[in-house]
Amino acid sequence: MTTEVAGDQLVGLSRYGSVYLLDEEGSTNDYALGLAGKRATAVVVARRQTKGRGRFRREWFSDENSLTTSLLLFADAPDFPRPSFLVHLAGLALARAVEQTAAIATQIRWPNDVTVDDKKLAGILCEGRRNAVAVGIGLNLNQEQLPEELPDAVSLRMATGKQWDKFYLLENFLREMYASIEKAGKGESAQILADIKQRSSILHRRVEVQTLLRKHIGTVIDLDPEGRVVLRADSGRLVVIGAGDARRVR
Ligand code: BTN
């Protein structure tokens, strides 16, 4: 168990589920999904994560200065958002949480990276097993520098010159995430999508989108109600893309 969380913070976190504070774990997403049989929402935080993975099964860098956490939710809960939309809700909630914590402007690089000045601050990996969904967050928090293999990444400390409390940020994220889920459940997804579009760093930009199968180059003309990219490809064709990696090009 980690001891770095204050009692009142623990009480705050426990509003959102059973709290598991782990010293070392392979992947908090795996740990969270392993709790699914308990049928209760959970918040898992690891001080060190040894086998963290990113989207498309890429290795995910983290150290003790990172926030590595997973929120376990259940997709069969009443009014639960579609899993494809949940990914986007999580990006918005995290972008807002960072802003509330550190008063710094954030953007969302589709589908759900949180960036600061186009550098990646955090990534999100949503994974499901039957009705359980783990929303995994990896955020570079207090590193003074990051490995040189990650030239396009930034930590919150590097961006602000200050150290931040990971549990304070986490509580801000959980509050925002649950508020967005509730909003979506009340049929207010259009408002959420508008907020996501406002923060999007690729909307109306020329991008290259790499999917599992191919690469598309063109201009993003919209995000559809599912949060998918609507791209006017250079060939003139309109392409709708549900999953991939986007980067801006000239
Ligand atoms: C990405 O941008 O590729 C997503 C990265 C997600 C990393 C987090 S760290 C906590 C959780 N556990 C994992 O193994 N991955 C996610």
Side-chain angles (χ1 to χ4, degrees):
M1 292 278 276
T2 51
T3 50
E4 57 192 303
V5 58
D8 54 340
Q9 283 182 318
L10 198 52
V11 172
L13 297 180
S14 63
R15 274 193 225 120
Y16 304 101
S18 308
V19 180
Y20 297 81
L21 302 175
L22 312 170
D23 211 31
E24 185 169 296
E25 188 53 41
S27 158
T28 54
N29 267 20
D30 288 341
Y31 192 92
L33 288 171
L35 298 168
K38 295 184 187 283
R39 298 283 315 157
T41 59
V43 180
V44 178
V45 186
R47 190 205 298 260
R48 280 185 305 275
Q49 190 178 239
T50 53
K51 282 205 172 116
R53 61 179 173 274
R55 296 171 58 241
F56 302 113
R57 300 202 80 77
R58 285 185 286 240
E59 194 181 314
W60 178 255
F61 162 81
S62 65
D63 62 18
E64 291 189 16
N65 285 311
S66 310
L67 170 63
T68 45
T69 184
S70 299
L71 169 63
L72 178 69
L73 297 169
F74 291 89
D76 52 357
D79 297 329
F80 196 78
R82 297 174 303 284
S84 58
F85 197 60
L86 187 76
V87 170
H88 303 285
L89 285 189
L92 178 63
L94 189 59
R96 283 187 169 145
V98 171
E99 282 192 4
Q100 287 162 12
T101 303
I104 186 173
T106 55
Q107 288 196 299
I108 300 171
R109 181 165 58 207
W110 182 86
N112 56 9
D113 286 351
V114 175
T115 59
V116 173
D117 291 335
D118 221 26
K119 295 212 164 203
K120 182 159 171 169
L121 179 74
I124 300 174
L125 178 66
C126 291
E127 296 179 300
R129 199 177 289 163
R130 297 199 191 91
N131 282 324
V133 186
V135 180
I137 308 284
L139 185 142
N140 305 319
L141 188 69
N142 283 323
Q143 291 90 348
E144 285 183 37
Q145 56 184 45
L146 289 165
E148 56 187 32
E149 309 85 79
L150 302 173
D152 294 323
V154 70
S155 74
L156 197 54
R157 182 169 184 177
M158 287 157 65
T160 62
K162 292 187 196 155
Q163 292 232 51
W164 299 97
D165 180 323
K166 70 171 79 166
F167 294 103
Y168 178 61
L169 198 159
L170 176 57
E171 199 178 336
N172 285 338
F173 165 70
L174 293 169
R175 191 184 52 252
E176 284 295 330
M177 185 71 192
Y178 272 83
S180 290
I181 290 174
E182 199 184 313
K183 241 181 166 179
K186 284 196 279 184
E188 295 171 27
S189 297
Q191 179 58 53
I192 295 172
L193 191 64
D195 292 346
I196 290 170
K197 286 184 191 179
Q198 208 176 21
R199 281 170 194 273
S200 172
S201 61
I202 65 159
L203 186 59
H204 308 309
R205 303 292 188 128
R206 245 180 92 63
V207 296
E208 180 183 286
V209 183
Q210 179 70 58
T211 68
L212 269 181
L213 297 177
R214 55 172 298 185
K215 191 183 283 182
H216 303 272
I217 300 183
T219 301
V220 178
I221 59 169
D222 203 2
L223 299 179
D224 78 1
E226 296 289 324
R228 294 176 300 193
V229 155
V230 183
L231 184 95
R232 171 74 64 196
D234 286 356
S235 62
R237 222 160 45 94
L238 212 52
V239 191
V240 179
I241 307 167
D245 278 326
R247 69 176 189 91
R248 291 214 307 244
V249 291
R250 285 170 192 274

Tab-separated table of all heavy atoms in Angstrom, residues 26-30 44 49 51-56 58-62 67-70 112-113 120 122-127 135-139 245, ligand 1:
chain	number	residue	atom	x	y	z
A	26	GLY	N	1.766	-4.761	-12.534
A	26	GLY	CA	2.073	-4.839	-13.956
A	26	GLY	C	1.319	-3.748	-14.703
A	26	GLY	O	1.915	-2.817	-15.252
A	27	SER	N	0.006	-3.867	-14.709
A	27	SER	CA	-0.844	-2.879	-15.390
A	27	SER	C	-2.083	-2.635	-14.526
A	27	SER	O	-2.771	-3.597	-14.143
A	27	SER	CB	-1.256	-3.427	-16.756
A	27	SER	OG	-2.437	-2.782	-17.207
A	28	THR	N	-2.360	-1.388	-14.245
A	28	THR	CA	-3.555	-1.093	-13.424
A	28	THR	C	-4.832	-1.484	-14.163
A	28	THR	O	-5.838	-1.809	-13.530
A	28	THR	CB	-3.619	0.401	-13.034
A	28	THR	OG1	-3.538	1.202	-14.217
A	28	THR	CG2	-2.508	0.778	-12.070
A	29	ASN	N	-4.799	-1.458	-15.498
A	29	ASN	CA	-5.992	-1.904	-16.238
A	29	ASN	C	-6.267	-3.386	-15.974
A	29	ASN	O	-7.407	-3.789	-15.757
A	29	ASN	CB	-5.808	-1.682	-17.747
A	29	ASN	CG	-6.358	-0.335	-18.200
A	29	ASN	OD1	-6.541	0.569	-17.388
A	29	ASN	ND2	-6.615	-0.192	-19.485
A	30	ASP	N	-5.205	-4.202	-16.006
A	30	ASP	CA	-5.402	-5.639	-15.741
A	30	ASP	C	-5.908	-5.838	-14.318
A	30	ASP	O	-6.801	-6.656	-14.069
A	30	ASP	CB	-4.068	-6.396	-15.903
A	30	ASP	CG	-3.659	-6.492	-17.363
A	30	ASP	OD1	-4.518	-6.325	-18.241
A	30	ASP	OD2	-2.456	-6.716	-17.614
A	44	VAL	N	-8.099	2.211	-9.096
A	44	VAL	CA	-6.828	1.530	-8.820
A	44	VAL	C	-5.690	2.498	-9.144
A	44	VAL	O	-5.664	3.081	-10.235
A	44	VAL	CB	-6.695	0.267	-9.711
A	44	VAL	CG1	-5.358	-0.424	-9.467
A	44	VAL	CG2	-7.857	-0.688	-9.476
A	49	GLN	N	4.315	1.068	-12.158
A	49	GLN	CA	3.665	0.133	-13.067
A	49	GLN	C	4.757	-0.469	-13.947
A	49	GLN	O	5.492	0.250	-14.616
A	49	GLN	CB	2.637	0.899	-13.900
A	49	GLN	CG	1.731	0.009	-14.699
A	49	GLN	CD	0.684	0.795	-15.466
A	49	GLN	OE1	-0.496	0.604	-15.275
A	49	GLN	NE2	1.121	1.658	-16.352
A	51	LYS	N	4.396	-3.099	-16.340
A	51	LYS	CA	4.056	-3.568	-17.700
A	51	LYS	C	2.903	-2.749	-18.260
A	51	LYS	O	1.939	-3.298	-18.819
A	51	LYS	CB	3.663	-5.039	-17.662
A	51	LYS	CG	4.843	-5.972	-17.576
A	51	LYS	CD	4.493	-7.333	-18.130
A	51	LYS	CE	5.728	-8.188	-18.218
A	51	LYS	NZ	5.741	-9.353	-17.387
A	52	GLY	N	2.998	-1.438	-18.094
A	52	GLY	CA	1.921	-0.582	-18.592
A	52	GLY	C	1.873	-0.643	-20.103
A	52	GLY	O	2.914	-0.687	-20.759
A	53	ARG	N	0.678	-0.647	-20.633
A	53	ARG	CA	0.577	-0.653	-22.101
A	53	ARG	C	-0.301	0.507	-22.565
A	53	ARG	O	-1.158	0.995	-21.845
A	53	ARG	CB	0.047	-1.980	-22.635
A	53	ARG	CG	-1.321	-2.308	-22.158
A	53	ARG	CD	-1.854	-3.629	-22.709
A	53	ARG	NE	-3.110	-3.880	-22.024
A	53	ARG	CZ	-3.199	-4.490	-20.862
A	53	ARG	NH1	-2.134	-4.948	-20.266
A	53	ARG	NH2	-4.386	-4.640	-20.284
A	54	GLY	N	-0.001	0.911	-23.796
A	54	GLY	CA	-0.765	1.988	-24.400
A	54	GLY	C	-1.688	1.444	-25.476
A	54	GLY	O	-1.880	0.220	-25.592
A	55	ARG	N	-2.254	2.333	-26.258
A	55	ARG	CA	-3.133	1.922	-27.346
A	55	ARG	C	-2.303	1.115	-28.355
A	55	ARG	O	-1.115	1.287	-28.463
A	55	ARG	CB	-3.765	3.150	-28.000
A	55	ARG	CG	-4.677	3.889	-27.016
A	55	ARG	CD	-5.152	5.205	-27.549
A	55	ARG	NE	-5.855	5.048	-28.796
A	55	ARG	CZ	-5.471	5.607	-29.946
A	55	ARG	NH1	-4.398	6.365	-29.998
A	55	ARG	NH2	-6.159	5.409	-31.045
A	56	PHE	N	-2.994	0.218	-29.042
A	56	PHE	CA	-2.348	-0.676	-30.023
A	56	PHE	C	-1.219	-1.484	-29.380
A	56	PHE	O	-0.212	-1.779	-30.003
A	56	PHE	CB	-1.844	0.114	-31.240
A	56	PHE	CG	-2.944	0.880	-31.931
A	56	PHE	CD1	-2.963	2.254	-31.925
A	56	PHE	CD2	-3.979	0.202	-32.561
A	56	PHE	CE1	-3.990	2.959	-32.546
A	56	PHE	CE2	-5.011	0.896	-33.184
A	56	PHE	CZ	-5.015	2.275	-33.175
A	58	ARG	N	1.116	-0.773	-27.400
A	58	ARG	CA	2.453	-0.188	-27.306
A	58	ARG	C	2.873	-0.148	-25.847
A	58	ARG	O	2.037	-0.088	-24.951
A	58	ARG	CB	2.455	1.231	-27.875
A	58	ARG	CG	2.401	1.238	-29.389
A	58	ARG	CD	2.519	2.642	-29.899
A	58	ARG	NE	1.295	3.356	-29.679
A	58	ARG	CZ	0.548	3.896	-30.649
A	58	ARG	NH1	0.911	3.812	-31.904
A	58	ARG	NH2	-0.555	4.532	-30.375
A	59	GLU	N	4.178	-0.163	-25.631
A	59	GLU	CA	4.691	-0.052	-24.270
A	59	GLU	C	4.404	1.369	-23.767
A	59	GLU	O	4.501	2.318	-24.548
A	59	GLU	CB	6.203	-0.286	-24.328
A	59	GLU	CG	6.847	-0.536	-22.999
A	59	GLU	CD	8.348	-0.741	-23.186
A	59	GLU	OE1	8.728	-1.494	-24.103
A	59	GLU	OE2	9.098	-0.116	-22.436
A	60	TRP	N	4.053	1.495	-22.492
A	60	TRP	CA	3.758	2.826	-21.940
A	60	TRP	C	4.796	3.183	-20.886
A	60	TRP	O	4.932	2.487	-19.883
A	60	TRP	CB	2.349	2.849	-21.332
A	60	TRP	CG	2.026	4.180	-20.717
A	60	TRP	CD1	1.996	4.469	-19.390
A	60	TRP	CD2	1.721	5.396	-21.412
A	60	TRP	NE1	1.684	5.797	-19.213
A	60	TRP	CE2	1.507	6.385	-20.441
A	60	TRP	CE3	1.602	5.744	-22.760
A	60	TRP	CZ2	1.192	7.703	-20.763
A	60	TRP	CZ3	1.283	7.049	-23.085
A	60	TRP	CH2	1.085	8.007	-22.092
A	61	PHE	N	5.504	4.262	-21.107
A	61	PHE	CA	6.499	4.689	-20.115
A	61	PHE	C	5.796	5.278	-18.887
A	61	PHE	O	4.898	6.111	-19.009
A	61	PHE	CB	7.432	5.758	-20.711
A	61	PHE	CG	8.156	6.526	-19.633
A	61	PHE	CD1	9.294	5.995	-19.034
A	61	PHE	CD2	7.667	7.741	-19.165
A	61	PHE	CE1	9.927	6.666	-17.997
A	61	PHE	CE2	8.292	8.425	-18.131
A	61	PHE	CZ	9.431	7.890	-17.544
A	62	SER	N	6.253	4.858	-17.685
A	62	SER	CA	5.816	5.554	-16.467
A	62	SER	C	6.885	5.325	-15.409
A	62	SER	O	7.681	4.388	-15.493
A	62	SER	CB	4.464	5.035	-15.978
A	62	SER	OG	4.566	3.695	-15.585
A	67	LEU	N	1.214	9.623	-12.880
A	67	LEU	CA	-0.069	9.136	-12.367
A	67	LEU	C	-0.446	7.945	-13.233
A	67	LEU	O	-0.609	8.089	-14.458
A	67	LEU	CB	-1.141	10.232	-12.468
A	67	LEU	CG	-2.583	9.778	-12.197
A	67	LEU	CD1	-2.751	9.272	-10.757
A	67	LEU	CD2	-3.575	10.915	-12.459
A	68	THR	N	-0.518	6.768	-12.618
A	68	THR	CA	-0.956	5.585	-13.363
A	68	THR	C	-2.158	5.021	-12.616
A	68	THR	O	-2.029	4.556	-11.479
A	68	THR	CB	0.152	4.515	-13.466
A	68	THR	OG1	0.765	4.347	-12.206
A	68	THR	CG2	1.200	4.901	-14.469
A	69	THR	N	-3.282	5.082	-13.253
A	69	THR	CA	-4.524	4.745	-12.554
A	69	THR	C	-5.540	4.145	-13.506
A	69	THR	O	-5.482	4.402	-14.714
A	69	THR	CB	-5.095	6.024	-11.888
A	69	THR	OG1	-6.253	5.676	-11.133
A	69	THR	CG2	-5.505	7.073	-12.911
A	70	SER	N	-6.448	3.359	-12.968
A	70	SER	CA	-7.557	2.830	-13.778
A	70	SER	C	-8.842	2.936	-12.983
A	70	SER	O	-8.872	2.633	-11.790
A	70	SER	CB	-7.324	1.364	-14.144
A	70	SER	OG	-6.139	1.233	-14.903
A	112	ASN	N	-8.079	10.629	-27.717
A	112	ASN	CA	-8.207	11.083	-26.339
A	112	ASN	C	-6.876	11.392	-25.644
A	112	ASN	O	-6.805	11.363	-24.420
A	112	ASN	CB	-9.027	10.085	-25.492
A	112	ASN	CG	-8.437	8.696	-25.540
A	112	ASN	OD1	-7.340	8.513	-26.068
A	112	ASN	ND2	-9.134	7.737	-25.004
A	113	ASP	N	-5.836	11.685	-26.406
A	113	ASP	CA	-4.601	12.142	-25.742
A	113	ASP	C	-4.854	13.541	-25.198
A	113	ASP	O	-5.490	14.358	-25.864
A	113	ASP	CB	-3.444	12.292	-26.753
A	113	ASP	CG	-2.887	10.964	-27.195
A	113	ASP	OD1	-3.258	9.931	-26.614
A	113	ASP	OD2	-2.080	10.976	-28.145
A	120	LYS	N	2.431	15.585	-25.733
A	120	LYS	CA	1.543	14.646	-25.036
A	120	LYS	C	1.812	14.632	-23.535
A	120	LYS	O	2.908	14.306	-23.087
A	120	LYS	CB	1.720	13.246	-25.627
A	120	LYS	CG	0.807	12.202	-25.003
A	120	LYS	CD	0.639	11.015	-25.924
A	120	LYS	CE	-0.075	9.861	-25.248
A	120	LYS	NZ	-0.470	8.815	-26.165
A	122	ALA	N	-0.762	13.158	-21.423
A	122	ALA	CA	-1.430	11.964	-20.890
A	122	ALA	C	-2.069	11.156	-22.006
A	122	ALA	O	-2.490	11.705	-23.026
A	122	ALA	CB	-2.511	12.393	-19.898
A	123	GLY	N	-2.142	9.849	-21.762
A	123	GLY	CA	-2.832	8.951	-22.687
A	123	GLY	C	-3.874	8.158	-21.925
A	123	GLY	O	-3.770	7.983	-20.695
A	124	ILE	N	-4.855	7.689	-22.652
A	124	ILE	CA	-5.962	6.946	-22.033
A	124	ILE	C	-6.166	5.648	-22.803
A	124	ILE	O	-6.172	5.645	-24.032
A	124	ILE	CB	-7.260	7.783	-22.069
A	124	ILE	CG1	-7.050	9.096	-21.302
A	124	ILE	CG2	-8.436	6.995	-21.493
A	124	ILE	CD1	-8.213	10.055	-21.394
A	125	LEU	N	-6.313	4.562	-22.056
A	125	LEU	CA	-6.575	3.266	-22.683
A	125	LEU	C	-7.827	2.675	-22.043
A	125	LEU	O	-7.810	2.332	-20.864
A	125	LEU	CB	-5.376	2.330	-22.460
A	125	LEU	CG	-5.528	0.914	-23.013
A	125	LEU	CD1	-5.594	0.931	-24.542
A	125	LEU	CD2	-4.378	0.019	-22.543
A	126	CYS	N	-8.905	2.582	-22.831
A	126	CYS	CA	-10.133	1.969	-22.326
A	126	CYS	C	-10.175	0.521	-22.822
A	126	CYS	O	-10.044	0.277	-24.023
A	126	CYS	CB	-11.365	2.703	-22.852
A	126	CYS	SG	-11.535	4.344	-22.174
A	127	GLU	N	-10.350	-0.400	-21.896
A	127	GLU	CA	-10.405	-1.818	-22.265
A	127	GLU	C	-11.598	-2.460	-21.570
A	127	GLU	O	-11.905	-2.107	-20.433
A	127	GLU	CB	-9.129	-2.537	-21.837
A	127	GLU	CG	-7.886	-2.024	-22.551
A	127	GLU	CD	-6.617	-2.736	-22.100
A	127	GLU	OE1	-6.293	-2.671	-20.897
A	127	GLU	OE2	-5.963	-3.337	-22.954
A	135	VAL	N	-10.961	2.214	-17.473
A	135	VAL	CA	-10.504	3.460	-18.098
A	135	VAL	C	-9.131	3.746	-17.493
A	135	VAL	O	-9.023	4.162	-16.347
A	135	VAL	CB	-11.482	4.620	-17.799
A	135	VAL	CG1	-10.987	5.912	-18.453
A	135	VAL	CG2	-12.891	4.275	-18.262
A	136	GLY	N	-8.086	3.474	-18.257
A	136	GLY	CA	-6.715	3.608	-17.733
A	136	GLY	C	-6.110	4.936	-18.133
A	136	GLY	O	-6.165	5.326	-19.307
A	137	ILE	N	-5.537	5.607	-17.151
A	137	ILE	CA	-4.936	6.918	-17.392
A	137	ILE	C	-3.441	6.847	-17.082
A	137	ILE	O	-3.054	6.423	-15.990
A	137	ILE	CB	-5.513	7.975	-16.396
A	137	ILE	CG1	-7.038	7.977	-16.397
A	137	ILE	CG2	-4.909	9.358	-16.636
A	137	ILE	CD1	-7.641	8.640	-17.567
A	138	GLY	N	-2.646	7.295	-18.010
A	138	GLY	CA	-1.214	7.457	-17.745
A	138	GLY	C	-0.876	8.916	-17.975
A	138	GLY	O	-1.078	9.441	-19.075
A	139	LEU	N	-0.408	9.586	-16.924
A	139	LEU	CA	-0.155	11.035	-17.043
A	139	LEU	C	1.240	11.342	-16.512
A	139	LEU	O	1.609	10.896	-15.418
A	139	LEU	CB	-1.233	11.791	-16.268
A	139	LEU	CG	-1.200	13.319	-16.366
A	139	LEU	CD1	-2.617	13.891	-16.430
A	139	LEU	CD2	-0.466	13.947	-15.201
A	245	ASP	N	-4.305	6.765	-34.900
A	245	ASP	CA	-3.431	7.799	-34.330
A	245	ASP	C	-3.415	8.970	-35.293
A	245	ASP	O	-3.189	8.769	-36.482
A	245	ASP	CB	-1.985	7.293	-34.252
A	245	ASP	CG	-1.766	6.450	-33.031
A	245	ASP	OD1	-2.385	6.740	-31.993
A	245	ASP	OD2	-0.963	5.503	-33.119
B	1	BTN	C1	-1.893	5.661	-24.906
B	1	BTN	O1	-1.791	6.868	-25.095
B	1	BTN	O2	-1.425	4.836	-25.711
B	1	BTN	C2	-2.647	5.187	-23.691
B	1	BTN	C3	-1.762	5.002	-22.505
B	1	BTN	C4	-2.509	4.497	-21.279
B	1	BTN	C5	-1.565	4.139	-20.154
B	1	BTN	C6	-2.312	3.823	-18.887
B	1	BTN	S1	-1.276	3.794	-17.457
B	1	BTN	C7	-2.587	3.140	-16.512
B	1	BTN	C8	-3.285	2.103	-17.380
B	1	BTN	N1	-2.629	0.812	-17.288
B	1	BTN	C9	-2.081	0.448	-18.447
B	1	BTN	O3	-1.454	-0.614	-18.643
B	1	BTN	N2	-2.283	1.396	-19.372
B	1	BTN	C10	-3.061	2.502	-18.852
